[in-house]
Amino acid sequence: MKLRSVLLTAVAATALLLAGCSSTGTTGSSDGGGGSTSVSDGAWSYKDATGTTVKVDHTPKRVVVLNDIALSFVHYGLRPVGTFGQLTMASDARFKGLDTKGITQLGTGYGDIDLEQLAALKPDLVVTSVYPTDSSGTLDPKAPGYGFKDIEQQKQIAAIAPIVQVKWGGKGLDVITTISKLAESLGAKESTVTAAEKRFDTAKQKLTAAAKQQDLKVVSMYADGDGAYVTRPSDEPTLQMYSDFGVDLVTPKPKGWYWGIYSWENAGQVRGDVILLSQQGYQVADLEKQPTFADNPALAAGQVHSWTFPALDYTSQAQYMTDLAGWLQDSKKLS
């Protein structure tokens, strides 16, 4: 299933990123939709974004997770037994350089989860995300969690292991805090998270300084044969956070949740000094073949960079914000 159709159904229509923890868990804290608690070798509970309280009689040690959150858990020192999601680990640029040995890939695309393989892993817990359906943050109680094909598949997975859903919407910093505290409740060391947060703060300062100095307009987009899909910054937690840090992100003119959709006939209206292009869908060579987009100033100037949907954890964000700060520094104003 292509990214556009997945995001339109999972985020626009219904809404559109575990660890085999090696330790016994620590005291958890509040999560944007609830909170978690655990006692060493004792019971663990977590109130997720849907209001469901998930209880396990021990701190989960064998956890299967959506790739967006798996990245965060691995960065925090946790080890998944399995992962699933839009991309495989091998095809997802965000996993480059990470040790994925021993992590089972449960399928090759969105909703493709091998249930027999999942059951064989004997997971204690499954972690995924849930997207709002509008800019107010509304969650659809009848919609499946992200990465699940449908409610029926979600029920089949829930019969194997309890499911926790993390809200992927609102303020980016809130989502980062939620995931960090969930990771700590599952055994991540507080010192590891704190060290990552310091790197995040340093990268934030670099990004804020670069954005202020360069005064450039940045477009985040996905493209395919049907057109260009410009992300609405206020609806994407990471972009919302970058906006707060001073990055001038373009808000698309077409109305709609998450995306502003431009047909190729109207794609010439997409303007900005720097483009963050989704790692899925059309890439630079494809955009250059589109008559209405080939002369786009940012494309012509080579000011196009990969939008990998960086995971919402301090480490992933520190890496991407550092890269983005460098790209802004190396770019020139075109509009």
Side-chain angles (χ1 to χ4, degrees), residues 14 32 35 58 86 91-92 100 113 155-156 182 189 199-200 233 248 275 282 296 302 321 325:
T14 74
H58 61 281
Q86 191 107 304
S91 61
D92 191 334
T100 59
I113 300 174
K155 290 178 179 178
Q156 293 172 326
L182 174 57
K189 294 181 179 178
R199 295 192 295 273
F200 171 89
D248 186 3
I275 294 175
Y282 278 7
N296 179 278
M321 289 194 299

Side-chain angles (χ1 to χ4, degrees), residues 29 76 91 218 223 256 321:
S29 183
Y76 290 151
S91 61
V218 179
M321 289 194 299

